[in-house]
Amino acid sequence: MNRYLDLTDEVKNALETGKPVVALESTIISHGMPYPKNVETAVSVENVIRENGAVPATIAIIGGRLKVGLTPDQLEYFGKKGTAITKVSRRDIPMIVAKGQDGATTVAATMMIASMAGIQVFATGGIGGVHRGAETTMDISADLDEFVKTPVMVICAGAKAILDLNLTMEYLETKGIPVYCYKTDELPAFYTRKSGIKAPFRADSPEELAKIWNTKNDLGIQGGFIVANPIPEEFSMDPKRINAAIDQAIAEMNKLGIHGKETTPYLLDKVQKLTGGDSLESNIRLVLNNAALAAKIAASIR
Ligand code: PSU
Ligand code: MN
């Protein structure tokens, strides 16, 4: 095992004995939700994974160490420090580790560290994608290309409408990254169950997804894939309301000239404020829903 990795005893033991393990990211804690809801959510997500028979492994960088599994105190630290912690994607890892610094890992960085530790299943809320206006800004999340390289399956609720969902799907198709929509023929759009975009593939059980994953590995095909799990009906938002908030957030962002890695955290925060916290509640519910599905898939893969 790589000498920069620190696994908790619980995660190490689970991996050694073939127990299912589900990775979780830390950018969603520090840059995706406000304190203290972020910490409460991080703890609840871990509990849901345990209730569904798997071991949670929240991933972050602390003092230059790649942490796989965090203590309650470490979760609190990431939640409380929030955006003061460096957001770490693929490009940032070598520098943060070399300097012995802390970092909150995005989907891309979490996939990399999960894979180094031997974890194949990862649950989150939403992944990064192709931003609206990318035809001129070229703002495409490093999360997407990570699926070409790293053999980790990510269970999310689709992509947020802060992105251009059509361009995101085209990009994924070009890169050969499969998106399996869970029990639906339509791509879910994070806060809502429907995007108007046809699902590239549909899957109807954790066992079916596990079988496709095992087959991919048997075939020697590199990279990961995306499972898009729609938010439960009772927690989904009114599409008009959420889309109006997103449009307003993007307009204000453009006025402020925000770009690069600040874009996604700015939009997540702004949309939560504009919806008076309702979108945050939906966000929490969908993450818990994804964690439960991820634990069941992890139990079925080899
Ligand atoms: N989308 C969400 N919630 C999140 C993120 C994205 O709905 O918390 C976070 C994830 O950590 C994701 C990152 O990996 O934002 C993407 O950032 P960027 O667009 O800068 O690649
Ligand atoms: Mn970006």
Side-chain angles (χ1 to χ4, degrees):
M1 191 143 306
N2 140 2
R3 67 187 174 96
Y4 297 100
L5 276 176
D6 287 337
L7 277 61
T8 59
D9 287 343
E10 186 190 20
V11 171
K12 190 161 173 275
N13 181 56
L15 289 168
E16 279 170 7
T17 57
K19 261 181 104 182
V21 179
V22 175
L24 298 162
E25 58 154 316
S26 43
T27 292
I28 190 176
I29 303 173
S30 58
H31 292 69
M33 291 182 188
Y35 180 81
K37 284 261 178 192
N38 54 1
V39 179
E40 287 165 30
T41 304
V43 171
S44 306
V45 171
E46 292 201 346
N47 289 338
V48 165
I49 289 171
R50 286 203 177 87
E51 283 157 20
N52 285 278
V55 169
T58 303
I59 290 177
I61 305 177
I62 302 180
R65 303 292 303 172
L66 308 177
K67 297 286 183 192
V68 181
L70 296 187
T71 64
D73 283 353
Q74 290 168 334
L75 288 178
E76 174 74 20
Y77 172 73
F78 274 82
K80 210 164 193 174
K81 267 199 110 179
T83 52
I85 302 233
T86 307
K87 173 181 162 188
V88 170
S89 192
R90 164 174 275 269
R91 67 171 185 180
D92 309 280
I93 293 178
M95 184 191 69
I96 294 294
V97 170
K99 291 187 172 177
Q101 293 174 351
D102 298 336
T105 51
T106 63
V107 168
T110 303
M111 288 171 73
M112 292 171 69
I113 298 168
S115 179
M116 289 174 197
I119 302 171
Q120 305 185 79
V121 180
F122 164 15
T124 190
I127 58 167
V130 181
H131 281 262
R132 296 193 199 172
E135 56 280 21
T136 50
T137 64
M138 290 187 69
D139 188 349
I140 300 171
S141 175
D143 289 352
L144 298 184
D145 277 72
E146 201 56 47
F147 287 92
V148 177
K149 302 179 262 252
T150 304
V152 171
M153 163 189 344
V154 178
I155 292 78
C156 62
K160 273 203 179 97
I162 58 172
L163 303 171
D164 186 319
L165 297 185
N166 279 299
L167 289 187
T168 300
M169 295 308 284
E170 291 295 347
Y171 192 86
L172 290 167
E173 181 178 349
T174 300
K175 296 285 177 169
I177 300 159
V179 180
Y180 299 94
C181 298
Y182 192 66
K183 293 188 177 169
T184 173
D185 293 310
E186 202 171 314
L187 177 77
F190 201 86
Y191 297 116
T192 57
R193 294 174 61 85
K194 290 182 185 303
S195 61
I197 299 169
K198 194 173 172 290
F201 304 106
R202 172 185 173 130
D204 289 284
S205 69
E207 295 74 22
E208 184 182 350
L209 286 160
K211 186 173 182 194
I212 298 168
W213 182 258
N214 290 337
T215 306
K216 176 197 85 72
N217 287 338
D218 288 345
L219 290 166
I221 295 173
Q222 288 175 359
F225 67 53
I226 298 169
V227 177
N229 184 27
I231 183 170
E233 187 75 63
E234 63 269 39
F235 305 123
S236 69
M237 294 188 73
D238 171 24
K240 274 210 192 93
R241 183 159 169 248
I242 187 67
N243 289 327
I246 289 169
D247 288 344
Q248 190 182 335
I250 291 176
E252 292 187 20
M253 180 186 77
N254 289 336
K255 232 190 294 167
L256 292 168
I258 289 166
H259 62 271
K261 70 190 287 192
E262 315 300 338
T263 298
T264 299
Y266 175 84
L267 290 173
L268 300 180
D269 178 60
K270 196 76 201 173
V271 168
Q272 278 161 17
K273 286 183 176 140
L274 289 171
T275 58
D278 287 359
S279 68
L280 177 58
E281 194 51 37
S282 293
N283 197 344
I284 293 168
R285 296 299 187 148
L286 64 83
V287 177
L288 296 173
N289 187 48
N290 296 340
L293 177 59
K296 291 174 194 154
I297 299 168
S300 293
I301 58 165
R302 281 201 294 271

